[in-house]
């Protein structure tokens, strides 16, 4: 992986022209035409579901089919080190908060120098870049809808809908990760079905897998010792309102009062960082539940942590296609998730888990109680979840889906 600057991402300037021109000149390698170049335009390359999907896509796409560059409207973080290919260029454009017309001038210069065969924007935050790409002369343009904007959780905002409709003629192909977004693009944005493709995220079933012999130990010495019949409820998310960590915490606290011997037997592991984390920790202390709830912040060992869980919960108020659901399923975990976005595309009620209404701690507590009172049923659902993840949500299927879109738009143009 190469970057546009040797300085830290937060300090990097717009890409140096010599470096970018060298990439454009690299279209001919050893006397042969290089594979087509896809410029992925995203808001920021950091820990997140969409970003993880992009990294997986690049890492698993055959290098002789497509080359890649990632253009971040803001910047990128150490998460970029997860990119395993050394031919991927990163660019940080350092967009300022609010309106920043200058960032489009910087983007235009990058695209004119890169001369990508395809530009692929993602989510509402980069939709305007379709206009800049057209002005830069990029004829083949793809847009992906991965999830809802945090200020518009169901796509009903009139201003956002107008923007999507205005830009629609510039987009050659759309990719929707969930069937809800597929329907929204047809119904509300009036996108022709001929320009729409549903491509679900894939999961690395080699990295995320069930424990080989019994549940692994949770590395949380600050928790009170639990009995042999302990049951670990887990979640991994960004600690922000749209993800609903407070809903899960309140449901768990209610569960402690419902289930006999719960404080000895039940543990909650809430993995992740974000603005709500300090308040969640205060709530745990106020409830006298410090020995039962683990809030470690960001962790780099999520696959191992999932192998220490018995049940996984996704309490979000909105989702596209939730990568952590797929990772939990691949880890052999039953999943309780809110019935929003693409969650119903992944969780089969009664077979691999349970769907509950969003924002309702009592209904979530009901589902948790059913699970902890019937552990054998949970284990059966976990086995079914692993089987479904391996059979229907492979990384190879995701990569083939994206390459089919890229191949089609190149052939059409």
């Amino acid at each position: 992986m190469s970057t546009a600057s040797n300085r830290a991402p937060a300090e990097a300037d717009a890409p140096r022209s010599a470096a970018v021109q060298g990439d454009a000149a690299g279209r001919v390698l050893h006397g042969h035409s290089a594979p087509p170049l896809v410029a992925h335009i995203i808001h920021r390359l950091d820990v997140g579901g969409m970003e993880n999907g992009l990294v997986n896509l690049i890492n698993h796409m055959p290098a002789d089919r497509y080359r890649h560059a990632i253009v971040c409207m803001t910047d990128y973080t150490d998460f970029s080190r997860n990119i395993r290919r050394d031919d991927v260029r990163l660019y940080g454009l350092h967009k300022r908060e609010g309106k920043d017309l200058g960032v489009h001038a910087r983007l235009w210069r990058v695209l004119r120098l890169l001369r990508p065969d395809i530009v692929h924007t993602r989510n509402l935050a980069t939709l305007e870049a379709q206009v800049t790409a057209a002005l830069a002369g990029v004829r083949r343009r793809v847009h992906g809808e991965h999830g809802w904007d945090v200020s518009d959780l169901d796509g009903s905002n009139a201003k956002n809908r107008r923007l999507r409709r205005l830009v629609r003629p510039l987009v050659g192909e759309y990719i929707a990760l969930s069937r809800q977004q597929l329907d929204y693009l047809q119904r509300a944005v009036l996108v022709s079905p001929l320009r729409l493709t549903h491509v679900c995220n894939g999961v690395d079933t080699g990295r995320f897998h069930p424990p080989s012999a019994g549940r692994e130990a949770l590395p949380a010495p600050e928790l009170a010792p639990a009995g042999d019949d302990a049951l670990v409820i887990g979640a991994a998310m960004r600690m922000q309102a749209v993800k609903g960590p407070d809903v899960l915490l309140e449901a768990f606290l209610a569960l402690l009062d419902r289930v006999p011997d719960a404080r000895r037997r039940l543990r909650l592991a809430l993995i992740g960082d974000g603005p709500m984390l300090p308040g969640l920790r205060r709530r745990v202390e106020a409830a006298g539940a410090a020995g039962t709830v683990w809030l470690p912040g960001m962790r780099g060992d999520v696959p191992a942590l999932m192998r220490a869980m018995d049940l996984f919960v996704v309490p979000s108020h909105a989702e596209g296609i939730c990568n952590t659901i797929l990772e939990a399923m691949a880890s052999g975990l039953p999943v309780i998730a809110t019935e929003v976005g693409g969650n119903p595309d992944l969780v089969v009620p009664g077979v691999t888990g349970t769907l509950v209404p969003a924002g309702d701690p009592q209904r979530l507590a009901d589902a948790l109680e059913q699970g902890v009172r019937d552990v054998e049923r949970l284990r059966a659902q976990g086995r079914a979840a692993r089987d479904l993840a391996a059979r229907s949500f492979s990384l190879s299927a995701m990569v083939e889906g994206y390459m089919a879109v890229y191949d089609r738009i190149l052939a059409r143009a």
Side-chain angles (χ1 to χ4, degrees):
M1 178 186 64
S2 58
T3 63
S5 171
N6 293 325
R7 289 179 285 167
E11 300 173 354
D13 297 323
R16 293 178 296 182
S17 60
V20 186
Q21 286 171 337
D23 184 79
R27 292 173 182 276
V28 178
L29 301 175
H30 308 296
H32 300 284
S33 295
L37 174 65
V38 182
H40 304 272
I41 301 178
I42 63 175
H43 180 69
R44 174 182 170 89
L45 185 58
D46 200 352
V47 176
M50 183 274 289
E51 295 81 1
N52 189 61
L54 172 58
V55 169
N56 279 336
L57 176 67
I58 290 173
N59 285 342
H60 291 85
M61 188 175 290
D64 60 352
R65 290 291 304 275
Y66 286 95
R67 294 178 299 139
H68 306 273
I70 301 176
V71 183
C72 305
M73 299 299 282
T74 54
D75 57 14
Y76 51 92
T77 69
D78 287 345
F79 182 76
S80 61
R81 294 176 181 172
N82 291 316
I83 300 173
R84 296 197 297 267
R85 287 177 54 167
D86 59 8
D87 62 339
V88 179
R89 286 186 172 272
L90 291 174
Y91 303 93
L93 302 183
H94 308 290
K95 180 183 182 296
R96 295 188 297 271
E97 288 291 331
K99 292 294 181 182
D100 180 7
L101 295 179
V103 75
H104 289 282
R106 296 191 291 276
L107 175 61
W108 183 88
R109 289 197 296 271
V110 170
L111 295 177
R112 289 293 291 175
L113 291 167
L114 271 176
R115 292 187 292 148
D117 299 275
I118 298 170
V119 155
H120 186 163
T121 59
R122 285 168 167 81
N123 285 342
L124 186 67
T126 63
L127 185 58
E128 293 177 352
Q130 289 280 331
V131 179
T132 310
L135 292 173
V138 183
R139 295 189 300 150
R140 305 163 180 101
R141 298 179 296 273
V142 177
H143 180 69
E145 290 286 351
H146 292 244
W148 300 109
D149 188 74
V150 68
S151 62
D152 184 19
L153 297 182
D154 59 0
S156 61
N157 181 281
K159 179 182 177 181
N160 292 343
R161 188 168 59 247
R162 281 196 301 271
L163 174 61
R164 287 186 168 104
R165 287 186 179 182
L166 282 171
V167 177
R168 183 190 63 215
L170 298 178
V171 181
E173 290 275 347
Y174 284 86
I175 296 174
L177 269 66
S178 73
R179 297 191 185 279
Q180 182 195 45
Q181 290 165 318
L182 195 73
D183 175 70
Y184 174 82
L185 288 170
Q186 291 185 66
R187 175 181 45 81
V189 188
L190 307 180
V191 177
S192 166
L194 298 177
R195 295 162 57 200
L196 270 171
T197 301
H198 176 221
V199 180
C200 189
N201 277 348
V203 61
D204 187 340
T205 55
R207 183 168 177 243
F208 291 91
H209 60 82
S212 56
R215 188 189 66 225
E216 296 184 7
L218 195 67
E222 57 267 47
L223 291 181
D228 293 337
D229 59 345
L231 189 144
V232 177
I233 299 166
M237 68 186 79
R238 173 76 174 158
M239 298 300 169
Q240 60 188 53
V242 70
K243 296 299 184 180
D246 53 332
V247 177
L248 174 53
L249 179 56
E250 292 303 324
F252 180 77
L253 294 177
L255 191 67
L256 293 180
D257 293 330
R258 294 188 187 187
V259 177
D261 210 16
R263 290 180 180 265
R264 180 193 62 81
R265 179 182 170 217
L266 303 182
R267 298 292 180 266
L268 174 64
L270 257 173
I271 315 301
D273 202 355
M276 295 184 69
L277 184 57
L280 295 170
R281 286 173 171 163
R282 289 193 296 270
R283 176 69 178 110
V284 170
E285 290 291 338
T292 62
V293 180
W294 188 43
L295 285 157
M298 185 62 64
R299 298 277 301 200
D301 55 348
V302 172
L305 292 177
M306 285 189 173
R307 290 191 287 274
M309 298 173 184
D310 298 283
L311 172 62
F312 197 80
V313 184
V314 176
S316 305
H317 295 280
E319 283 288 352
I321 285 292
C322 180
N323 278 327
T324 54
I325 288 182
L326 292 174
E327 292 164 357
M329 290 170 59
S331 301
L333 292 173
V335 177
I336 297 176
T338 48
E339 195 168 4
V340 300
N343 292 353
D345 296 355
L346 307 179
V347 178
V348 183
V351 179
T352 67
T354 305
L355 293 172
V356 298
D360 191 334
Q362 294 306 312
R363 292 287 295 276
L364 178 53
D366 292 342
L368 291 172
E369 184 177 2
Q370 290 178 10
V372 302
R373 291 183 182 277
D374 192 348
V375 176
E376 287 305 315
R377 181 168 173 263
L378 285 184
R379 290 171 179 164
Q381 290 181 347
R383 291 190 293 270
R386 168 66 187 186
D387 180 67
L388 181 60
R391 181 166 28 91
S392 302
F393 300 109
S394 68
L395 282 175
S396 60
M398 178 189 75
V399 171
E400 288 296 331
Y402 277 95
M403 288 198 301
V405 173
Y406 295 161
D407 291 347
R408 186 163 59 247
I409 197 169
L410 285 175
R412 181 188 306 150

